[in-house]
Amino acid sequence: MRYADGGGLSERGRAKREAVRLQAAEWFGQDVSVAEIARRLRVSTNAVYTWRRQWCAEGEAGLASKGPGGSSCRLDQRRLDQLAAALEQGPAAHGFGEDQRWTLARVADLIARMFHTRYTLRGVSYLLHRIGFSPQVPAHRAIERDEQAIATWRREAWPAGKR
């Protein structure tokens, strides 16, 4: 499963966990036992021992949330905006022929050409979702679409297939 911000928790979830760690820090100052803190907060004693080591070394600042986990995006916001603009121009504008579909491989190739940075196909998929592109919905209907043939199929073939 992939989380939206890459770290597994939302901002609110990270804030809740940080509040738990800060509550533990308050009890560290009152010399409450590790087992009692773990029981009160419903966490493992190993977690409390880890928090206590951080608290002893760095104080409450050591228990603060460090933000979402995972690696950061290799493209800054300016480059992401350039990529979005290039994708809006369509594949033909970038030498991919007349086929007006972006594939993950084509987008990966475009990123490599524009920014000299390689992404895996899965990484391209995550990147496209991050900047708001979705693979499910085409921007335009196919030029070759024959509305009359579709209506005939719906009227004749589809009901026969439902039986």
Side-chain angles (χ1 to χ4, degrees), residues 28-155:
F28 293 149
Q30 298 170 4
D31 284 332
V32 177
S33 73
V34 168
E36 179 62 19
I37 293 172
R39 188 189 63 73
R40 289 180 189 177
L41 296 176
R42 294 188 224 165
V43 297
S44 70
T45 54
N46 285 342
V48 179
Y49 278 118
T50 301
W51 297 343
R52 190 174 69 174
R53 272 195 308 275
Q54 290 172 328
W55 178 74
C56 288
E58 303 173 40
E60 284 191 12
L63 300 177
S65 175
K66 293 168 180 58
S71 60
S72 59
C73 183
R74 289 181 276 164
L75 301 179
D76 59 12
Q77 190 58 47
R78 180 182 59 81
R79 288 181 172 177
L80 289 174
D81 293 340
Q82 288 175 349
L83 176 61
L87 292 173
E88 291 292 341
Q89 293 172 353
H94 298 282
F96 290 108
E98 295 303 316
D99 181 14
Q100 289 298 303
R101 290 178 293 175
W102 281 113
T103 63
L104 294 178
R106 285 180 174 186
V107 176
D109 187 47
L110 180 68
I111 292 170
R113 281 193 278 164
M114 288 178 69
F115 309 117
H116 307 290
T117 301
R118 292 255 175 229
Y119 273 90
T120 63
L121 297 184
R122 180 171 284 210
V124 170
S125 176
Y126 292 149
L127 185 67
L128 291 176
H129 280 90
R130 178 181 291 166
I131 62 175
F133 283 84
S134 171
Q136 293 92 355
V137 183
H140 307 285
R141 289 188 181 243
I143 295 171
E144 301 87 8
R145 185 177 170 103
D146 184 354
E147 294 296 336
Q148 188 174 10
I150 293 170
T152 302
W153 179 85
R154 281 191 182 145
R155 188 174 57 253

